Amino acid sequence: MTTHFRGLRAATIFAALSASIALGGVASAHDYKMGEVAIGHPWTRATLPNAKVAGAYMSFTNSGKEPARLVGGSSPLSEGVEIHEMSMQDGVMKMQALENGLDIPAGETVTLEPGGYHIMMTGLKKSIAEGDKVPLTLTFANGETVDVELAAEAVGAKSSGMAGKGETMIDHGATGHDVSGESHEHQH
């Protein structure tokens, strides 16, 4: 009888937890929202000693009917936060700040990842170590802000959870930018 009661109790707890998750009562520790925009798994890379910049990566899924725009942010770890894009132009990888921010169209997902759109934390006040949790406040064009926590992966990680899997780093000397690839140029 005791074994049957334990099994019934476990099944009841499992059913309650499943219903709670299905109804949205339990959220992942690495998922955030701003209105109709879901922000998925923010992460960064550990930095080398004396690095002055670090990238931040995540996804934005806009399930609303209106576009949203990420325009900036702040972090106690850095002096500034910029939104950047990288693109290949004439065989050269170029990085530039998006002065008007990053559009997140209605009904679409925009992914920030190494080699593409990303957030650049400038003027780092200290190095980031693998395993650190880095606070970052995201600012949207509508004036709303969202506090997220970046999970720090290994130096050279290509994506969250893929730390160190074959990434090549290029040292950009005085700029402090470490980006994978062959030839890069930074523009503001």
Side-chain angles (χ1 to χ4, degrees), residues 1-106:
M1 186 83 163
T2 303
T3 303
H4 176 67
F5 177 75
R6 284 185 186 157
L8 182 59
R9 184 171 156 198
T12 303
I13 291 170
F14 178 78
L17 284 172
S18 296
S20 175
I21 290 169
L23 295 173
V26 176
S28 167
H30 244 72
D31 291 328
Y32 305 88
K33 280 198 77 114
M34 187 284 302
E36 297 294 321
V37 177
I39 303 163
H41 201 70
W43 66 282
T44 188
R45 294 173 171 157
T47 59
L48 299 174
N50 302 316
K52 297 297 178 198
V53 298
Y57 315 99
M58 62 200 74
S59 65
F60 297 93
T61 300
N62 185 349
S63 60
K65 295 182 181 188
E66 299 294 324
R69 187 168 4 115
L70 178 67
V71 295
S74 63
S75 174
L77 187 68
S78 68
E79 293 174 8
V81 172
E82 301 174 352
I83 301 159
H84 284 196
E85 74 172 328
M86 293 185 70
S87 61
M88 189 66 80
Q89 296 175 7
D90 299 323
V92 176
M93 183 65 79
K94 294 188 177 190
M95 180 169 29
Q96 63 186 12
L98 296 176
E99 301 300 331
N100 296 319
L102 178 65
D103 288 325
I104 307 163

Side-chain angles (χ1 to χ4, degrees), residues 43 45-48 114 153-159 162-169 178 180:
W43 66 282
R45 294 173 171 157
T47 59
L48 299 174
E153 301 289 347
V155 171
K158 287 185 177 182
S159 65
M162 297 205 35
K165 301 237 187 297
E167 182 77 0
T168 302
M169 300 297 287
D178 288 328
S180 59

